[in-house]
Amino acid sequence: MKKLITSSIAMITALVAVSAQDFGYQNPVIPGFHPDPSVCRVDSDYYLVTSSFEFAPGVPLFHSRDLINWEQIGHCLTRRSQLPLEKSGSWCGIYAPTIRYHDGTFFMVTTNVAGGGNFIVHTKDIRGEWSEPAWLKQEGIDPSLFWDEDGKCYLTSNPNDGIWLCEVDPFTGELKSESKLIWEGMGGRYPEAPHIYKKDGWYYLMIAEGGTEYGHSETIARSRRIDGPYLGNPSNPILTHYCQAAENSPIQGTGHADLVQAHDGSWWMVCLAFRPVSGNNHVMGRETFLAPVTWPKGGWPVVNGNGTIALQMDVPTLPQRPFAKPATTNEFDAPLGYEWNYLRNYDAANYEVKGGKLTLTASTESIDAEGNPTFVGRRQENINFAAETKVSLNGKTEGDEAGMSIYMKCHTHYDLSLVRRKDGKAVVRLRYRLGEMSHVEKEVETSGEGVTLRIEGAAETYTFSFSTDGKKFETLGRMNTRFISSEAGGGFTGAYVGLFAQKTSAKSKAKGVFERFSYSGK
């Protein structure tokens, strides 16, 4: 009888545990250009950061209560003193951040590859401002922080084709020990993205190898001492789609991961990957994906059973707590949200949101150059989408221009815009800039007042159209997505749907006036 009661209690406990879970989710959990994710937990709250490269503000910051539904709550780098991007060309700037929480303080460590190297910022208020940078002397990229049980803080990064470790003061950046090479990985190129975890008396060192392309993978090693020697997992890699099991997957390039133990004791991994379209090309950059991890005591972590992930993940999850869905239309009746970004050290005086309008003061710096143009955009997050805006061109000088762009980088973009010609007439123009080629595909005369521009995205093409009455649209042309992809244009970023205004004469007082903007995935 006692055994029966005990068995019944165990069964009820198991059923309660299962009922407290939800089941299944969709990858990516943060779609669009959000690479190099790093995550930390504070009680039952989770915080995640991703790379931002040449875009400002820097290092998007997200919050979740279930690791599946994420809400952007700000950026870590919001001031020019934290984010010098003057020397940042396309896909330079801020690389691979790591976020950690220790003793009441959040720390974020990252690399400005063209503006000072590795640095740390910190805050006690996750939704507030972060400190000024504490610059680090240890080189390499993808720095990470780890606090040991004795309170010492350690820094890892990857100078000289390996993973190096030293003790660091996370508030000042002072290195408190000599840097030491602790692991060179399993032989894959570009050993990077190191993170240290301690479990069951072992120090585990997880890194990415193979380069952030199709051969990307995640490997892991362990040691009884934090400074090594580290021995690799015989079953490495623990995550890769460069394998027979995932060769036909719609997800590729998996890697650059971080692990977190949830508040229910389960383990999870966030990682980057990309979704190819139009053959083996991807346009949205590297996105943030999620996978469950089993990690037996004294053993090695296993990612989703076989080291691969899927778009539809049919696995038990934490109780899911979704946020309200963001509005698909921005009426410009409030300051721009966190999803909007600028290029490099932008001039804030050129941007005004007032009275239901976004007014962009044109700059002589073109979006064709690695400067500080008048440009503000949001990420393309869906393979199939529609974006639309209503714009007027307040400028009468030849070369005045305002419109919408599918922007990958300064040498790779498609533009649908209002342009003032030499004869004084305004035209709707479809143009492309692809490497050394710049070409006007088509243009149609218009008044330049209240023209609605529309871009529709699909796997193979972008379709560009316009309307003078907001109802009847005329298609100007279609462009192939593969020419805007990372494979064609190079780099590590993803496509933006951007609004811009530019001019060729410094004397012009041209402005682009946008009355609304909508973006919706299909």
Side-chain angles (χ1 to χ4, degrees):
M1 185 68 176
K2 186 175 181 181
K3 287 184 179 180
L4 180 60
I5 293 173
T6 303
S7 178
S8 299
I9 292 173
M11 183 178 295
I12 292 170
T13 302
L15 289 172
V16 169
V18 170
S19 66
Q21 292 180 318
D22 283 344
F23 193 87
Y25 63 92
Q26 287 284 131
N27 266 319
V29 291
I30 307 180
F33 158 54
H34 290 105
D36 310 319
S38 175
V39 63
C40 72
R41 176 175 70 89
V42 182
D43 299 324
S44 60
D45 292 288
Y46 301 85
Y47 300 96
L48 183 147
V49 291
T50 64
S51 298
S52 52
F53 292 85
E54 69 264 35
F55 293 94
V59 186
L61 174 63
F62 296 86
H63 169 246
S64 176
R65 291 191 175 95
D66 57 16
L67 290 168
I68 294 165
N69 298 284
W70 294 91
E71 178 184 49
Q72 189 171 356
I73 60 172
H75 294 82
C76 297
L77 307 176
T78 58
R79 305 186 298 276
R80 189 164 297 190
S81 58
Q82 301 168 314
L83 192 63
L85 295 174
E86 292 89 348
K87 298 179 181 179
S88 176
S90 293
W91 42 278
C92 289
I94 300 297
Y95 279 27
T98 295
I99 188 170
R100 293 292 184 258
Y101 178 80
H102 178 74
D103 196 22
T105 301
F106 292 91
F107 297 84
M108 190 280 295
V109 58
T110 189
T111 312
N112 188 333
V113 297
N118 293 322
F119 66 94
I120 305 172
V121 292
H122 67 270
T123 185
K124 289 185 176 296
D125 179 6
I126 191 66
R127 296 176 184 265
E129 290 290 309
W130 292 67
S131 71
E132 289 299 298
W135 295 98
L136 300 166
K137 290 184 179 180
Q138 180 162 296
E139 297 181 351
I141 60 171
D142 305 351
S144 183
L145 298 174
F146 170 79
W147 277 263
D148 210 346
E149 293 161 350
D150 59 6
K152 292 182 178 180
C153 180
Y154 292 89
L155 168 74
T156 52
S157 66
N158 73 333
N160 305 317
D161 295 323
I163 307 305
W164 293 66
L165 173 89
C166 68
E167 186 184 352
V168 66
D169 184 324
F171 292 98
T172 67
E174 176 191 0
L175 302 189
K176 304 181 76 173
S177 69
E178 292 292 325
S179 291
K180 178 182 178 181
L181 176 66
I182 57 172
W183 198 40
E184 295 179 284
M186 300 296 293
R189 65 175 184 161
Y190 305 137
E192 56 193 5
H195 294 303
I196 291 178
Y197 315 91
K198 193 171 186 181
K199 184 177 183 294
D200 307 326
W202 290 97
Y203 294 92
Y204 289 85
L205 172 60
M206 188 174 73
I207 73 170
E209 298 188 53
T212 184
E213 298 155 356
Y214 282 86
H216 212 194
S217 64
E218 201 71 16
T219 59
I220 196 165
R222 68 183 183 184
S223 172
R224 290 293 187 183
R225 295 171 48 89
I226 192 168
D227 60 350
Y230 282 85
L231 298 177
N233 180 0
S235 297
N236 275 328
I238 60 171
L239 171 72
T240 189
H241 277 207
Y242 196 62
C243 60
Q244 189 174 33
E247 62 180 336
N248 296 316
S249 172
I251 303 168
Q252 294 297 327
T254 54
H256 201 116
D258 198 3
L259 293 166
V260 63
Q261 187 174 27
H263 56 279
D264 69 347
S266 62
W267 283 89
W268 295 84
M269 171 184 280
V270 293
C271 68
L272 66 74
F274 54 82
R275 290 181 283 167
V277 296
S278 187
N280 292 324
N281 301 283
H282 69 284
V283 301
M284 291 182 292
R286 300 161 301 155
E287 307 172 281
T288 293
F289 292 73
L290 176 71
V293 175
T294 56
W295 199 340
K297 185 174 182 179
W300 298 96
V302 177
V303 180
N304 195 35
N306 69 348
T308 69
I309 56 178
L311 294 178
Q312 176 60 44
M313 296 292 292
D314 295 322
V315 298
T317 71
L318 300 177
Q320 295 186 27
R321 302 179 64 180
F323 298 98
K325 292 184 178 181
T328 59
T329 300
N330 190 325
E331 299 289 354
F332 299 129
D333 53 3
L336 296 178
Y338 296 128
E339 73 273 19
W340 292 87
N341 295 143
Y342 308 87
L343 278 167
R344 303 179 188 89
N345 294 135
Y346 64 99
D347 185 352
N350 288 340
Y351 305 82
E352 182 184 59
V353 178
K354 185 177 180 181
K357 297 179 180 179
L358 168 65
T359 301
L360 302 183
T361 300
S363 170
T364 54
E365 294 197 64
S366 166
I367 60 174
D368 283 6
E370 293 180 338
N372 306 304
T374 301
F375 171 98
V376 61
R378 53 149 299 154
R379 292 161 172 83
Q380 178 184 337
E381 296 178 349
N382 309 86
I383 294 173
N384 299 291
F385 75 93
E388 192 174 292
T389 190
K390 184 178 180 181
V391 61
S392 297
L393 177 62
N394 293 356
K396 303 298 182 181
T397 305
E398 179 187 3
D400 292 347
E401 183 175 4
M404 186 159 52
S405 178
I406 295 294
Y407 183 94
M408 177 68 78
K409 62 176 186 174
C410 65
H411 294 154
T412 309
H413 50 92
Y414 296 142
D415 308 324
L416 179 64
S417 60
L418 296 180
V419 184
R420 191 68 62 181
R421 293 192 313 201
K422 186 176 183 179
D423 60 10
K425 295 180 178 179
V427 296
V428 182
R429 175 181 291 174
L430 176 59
R431 179 182 81 108
Y432 62 75
R433 174 66 190 273
L434 300 173
E436 299 301 316
M437 298 183 295
S438 180
H439 176 71
V440 175
E441 185 73 6
K442 188 176 181 179
E443 59 183 30
V444 176
E445 288 187 13
T446 183
S447 66
E449 300 295 328
V451 177
T452 301
L453 307 177
R454 178 186 289 172
I455 302 176
E456 295 172 281
E460 301 290 335
T461 58
Y462 293 107
T463 301
F464 299 85
S465 55
F466 77 99
S467 173
T468 56
D469 61 6
K471 299 176 182 178
K472 184 179 179 181
F473 282 82
E474 177 181 342
T475 298
L476 277 187
R478 294 177 174 83
M479 298 291 185
N480 199 302
T481 57
R482 71 175 181 270
F483 297 128
I484 209 83
S485 69
S486 296
E487 286 76 13
F492 304 122
T493 57
Y496 271 73
V497 183
L499 308 178
F500 70 98
Q502 57 193 34
K503 59 189 180 182
T504 56
S505 171
K507 295 181 179 180
S508 171
K509 299 186 182 298
K511 295 182 179 181
V513 181
F514 299 83
E515 293 184 39
R516 65 175 181 273
F517 175 88
S518 65
Y519 175 96
S520 59
K522 298 180 181 179

